[in-house]
Amino acid sequence: MTKKTLSEMTFLDHLEELRWLLVRSTIAIIIMAIVTYFISDYLFDTIIFGPTRPTFFTYQFFCDLSHQLGFAESICVTEMPFIIQNTEMEGQVNVFIWVCILAGFILSFPYILWEIWKFISPALYDTEKKNAKVFIFFSSLLFFMGVLFGYFVVIPMSVNFVATFTVSDLVINQFTLDSYIGMVKTSVLASGLFFELPIIIYFLTKLGLVTPEFLRTYRKYAIVLVLIIAAIVTPPDVVSQTIVAIPMLLIYEASIYISVFVSKKEKK
């Protein structure tokens, strides 16, 4: 049986395609999650719990940078005054499973993008369908850049802030395993998906749902929102907030230029 064209497909046909997209994507995530099982020791000891150690790359980098710029020695992280504990019977088992699934999702992200492209490609022009490799490459690149940004910038600064913040010397920080892993998952995924903003804006502009004028109008609100987010996830110093805020603002500005480019192309 020949494959139906877009005009021949019914609503149920589209739902069937979407169902198989989700099935194949889920299988890919599970396969990659199983792969991460065999490196789980490295995944947890070195990667997941890396930001809990003063020797973590980000802390050392900012300490060396502060010395070169002549900043105060206080920016250097010498200790992490907290412990992580498990308080539930199945706590470590649940964390192990969900971390492997998260790692599986990150590793299989390019394949998931390929599945999404196949789903939306029937609605595109022939010239646009040829850009599948470009779409997958840049979307994957932005996502992995966001994941690295979340891991090497957002998480260490968040951990350092909550570890050193205290309302009284009588209070000892003892974080639960679930809360720490939740912070790691949220920071990594949120950063990765936020870096996909230029790709999202590209398609929203093509659909006529977003215009450059709209993005410029709400730029000031976006700046305020980014600064608030940077203030929340970083220690209360200008340097840390700037390091987090600048890449996010650059992503937003890049999205505006992409929207302008697509708008001009659509008008032609």
Side-chain angles (χ1 to χ4, degrees), residues 62 71 74-75 157 160-161 230-231 234-244:
F62 284 122
F71 290 164
S74 58
I75 196 173
M157 290 185 175
N160 182 35
F161 175 69
T234 61
D237 64 84
V238 178
V239 176
S240 300
Q241 294 172 8
T242 302
I243 291 172
V244 172

Side-chain angles (χ1 to χ4, degrees), residues 150-188:
Y151 179 72
F152 284 106
V153 179
V154 178
I155 292 177
M157 290 185 175
S158 300
V159 171
N160 182 35
F161 175 69
V162 298
T164 56
F165 180 84
T166 178
V167 295
S168 172
D169 293 337
L170 299 176
V171 181
I172 301 175
N173 286 326
Q174 296 181 345
F175 306 134
T176 64
L177 176 63
D178 186 62
S179 65
Y180 175 77
I181 296 298
M183 184 270 296
V184 170
K185 290 190 296 185
T186 301
S187 300
V188 168

